[in-house]
Amino acid sequence: MELILAADRLTIAMLSLHSCPLGRLGTRDTGGMSVYIREVALRLASRGHRVDIFTRHHEPFHSPVVRLAQGVRLIHLEAGVDPDPPKLSLVNHLEEFVSSLERFRRKTGIEYDLIHSHYWLSGLAGLMLQKIWAAPHVTMFHTLAAVKNEMGAAKDEPWLRIASERRVAGSCDLVIAATDEGKEELGRHYGVRPGMVRVIPCGVDLQRFYPADKKAARRVLGLNPEEEVVLYVGRIDPLKGLDRLMEAVSFLDGRPWLRVVIVGGEERSGPEMERLQGLVRRYGLQNRVRFAGRIDQPGLPVFYNAADLLVLPSFHETFGLVALEALACGTPVVATKVGGMADLLGEGLNGRLVEGDVGRGLASALKETLAGVRAGLFPPAVVRSSVCGYGWSNVAGALLAEYRGLLTGRLAQAC
Ligand code: UDP
């Protein structure tokens, strides 16, 4: 009986060293992982558990401790003074981060039952803490350096990250992957045994993202009701394959009403934004492509509802939260076969998968899906129903089952 009571109300240390869950979504390093951490923490807390999310102090106006909701706090810790450092340099501040965290814990007298780290940098901090606290350590990498390098779509990730991911995966208690593909990659690149990995698909806020009137949404955004609107939402990153989208759109020059709206990134989003703007000019798409910049998440449903479809032409995705969000709004998705897309998308039901020759293949998938939307083949209620099982509370429930399994195992061992 005592064993069960001990694990009943958990106190969890969630580590997000390099990226703050209050950061600006859609910018360089702030995307799906920040959403994941915030949503999971809120859902765990709504079940009565306590979650402290630890990140490094980065904005002078943030208080050291921010209460996000009943039972969820965001704690900013000292770990280097540079407000926007290169990620790799944060390795030099891991010990400072862990010491600040331990000081905070001692001062507040909290005992954490479990560590859940996100991304390799937090994973390394998690390894230090798992030793100090003798607590179970669950990790989620979100992206793997070895996979990014294999894709070759962006600059090579350093060996230090590869070695660290292998070390974290080999020394923590459990690795969470969002897809079977993610689990397979952990085995193939880092030799992680299948029994050490649990696959838990990502989630969507079904209350925030829901279908609404398309014409009204277009009025809000100043989009013509006659236009065919293809939407992209996400960070501006070479892995997202926006160059493939530009090429595909250049094949669709017989569709004068086609518009592409790109949400994400900032005016000064660096080389990738410049490259994309160069492609727009090269393909003569200036009148078709609109860069809307990053939008706070509450402002996204109107974009999903105004669009005829969401496109996700990525080379790789951890899962692809934006696809879930579009589908929850009743908007079909055209995507390359990455992340959770093969599980999410059913041909003709809620969108289309693109494989092989992405340029021409993507162009014809866009054309056929746009025609399907016009013909009423994707009723929003049907599209939405395809993701009704993906609420964040299901993700939190699945994580809790794993947390409890680890804790019960530890207690049983100690007896
Ligand atoms: N997002 C946002 N505003 C933007 C761009 C993206 O709020 O301008 C959010 C989006 O709603 C989604 C997340 O950022 O929840 C991106 O997650 P996804 O899994 O699609 O991509 P990742 O960032 O993990 O590569």
Side-chain angles (χ1 to χ4, degrees), residues 179-203:
T179 60
D180 290 333
E181 187 190 21
K183 178 173 177 170
E184 183 274 325
E185 288 163 349
L186 281 159
R188 181 155 49 91
H189 292 289
Y190 298 142
V192 185
R193 285 181 290 108
M196 281 291 297
V197 186
R198 290 291 177 284
V199 175
I200 301 179
C202 290

Side-chain angles (χ1 to χ4, degrees), residues 178-397:
T179 60
D180 290 333
E181 187 190 21
K183 178 173 177 170
E184 183 274 325
E185 288 163 349
L186 281 159
R188 181 155 49 91
H189 292 289
Y190 298 142
V192 185
R193 285 181 290 108
M196 281 291 297
V197 186
R198 290 291 177 284
V199 175
I200 301 179
C202 290
V204 60
D205 182 341
L206 293 163
Q207 267 77 50
R208 168 166 286 169
F209 297 102
Y210 58 87
D213 184 61
K214 187 182 283 188
K215 279 197 185 129
R218 289 197 176 186
R219 264 198 309 277
V220 172
L221 298 178
L223 291 167
N224 187 319
E226 300 306 320
E227 284 174 350
E228 298 179 307
V229 178
V230 169
L231 174 69
Y232 166 86
V233 178
R235 292 175 300 108
I236 305 297
D237 183 296
L239 274 183
K240 295 290 182 178
L242 284 167
D243 48 354
R244 297 162 141 187
L245 175 62
M246 300 307 167
E247 187 195 18
V249 173
S250 76
F251 295 138
L252 297 173
D253 52 4
R255 303 182 86 87
W257 287 103
L258 182 69
R259 296 286 172 271
V260 179
V261 177
I262 298 193
V263 169
E266 293 172 300
E267 252 171 57
R268 291 181 306 150
S269 269
E272 183 58 6
M273 185 62 105
E274 279 165 31
R275 187 170 80 102
L276 293 175
Q277 283 163 345
L279 286 176
V280 168
R281 285 192 295 276
R282 188 166 114 206
Y283 293 125
L285 303 175
Q286 291 91 329
N287 294 330
R288 288 174 177 254
V289 179
R290 170 173 148 191
F291 289 93
R294 62 164 298 279
I295 305 284
D296 281 330
Q297 226 188 24
L300 287 182
V302 72
F303 280 88
Y304 290 126
N305 277 297
D308 287 307
L309 61 84
L310 177 91
V311 63
L312 197 61
S314 312
F315 290 92
H316 190 267
E317 286 287 337
T318 304
F319 191 85
L321 292 185
V322 292
L324 278 174
E325 293 163 5
L327 296 171
C329 289
T331 302
V333 172
V334 170
T336 43
K337 200 173 171 190
V338 291
M341 297 310 112
D343 293 331
L344 272 186
L345 298 181
E347 207 68 27
L349 167 76
N350 57 3
R352 200 170 272 271
L353 282 175
V354 182
E355 290 183 78
D357 169 19
V358 170
R360 295 269 173 201
L362 182 57
S364 60
L366 292 173
K367 207 163 74 181
E368 283 160 24
T369 310
L370 286 168
V373 170
R374 286 292 134 126
L377 297 184
F378 298 102
V382 174
V383 172
R384 178 175 166 88
S385 68
S386 66
V387 293
C388 279
Y390 284 86
W392 282 112
S393 56
N394 292 354
V395 181

Side-chain angles (χ1 to χ4, degrees), residues 14 18 37 49 54 123 141 153 157 165 177 195 197 204 210 219 229 340 357 359 382:
M14 197 72 85
H18 82 285
I37 292 171
H49 304 284
F54 294 96
F141 290 104
E157 292 291 323
E165 285 174 347
V197 186
V204 60
Y210 58 87
R219 264 198 309 277
V229 178
D357 169 19
V382 174

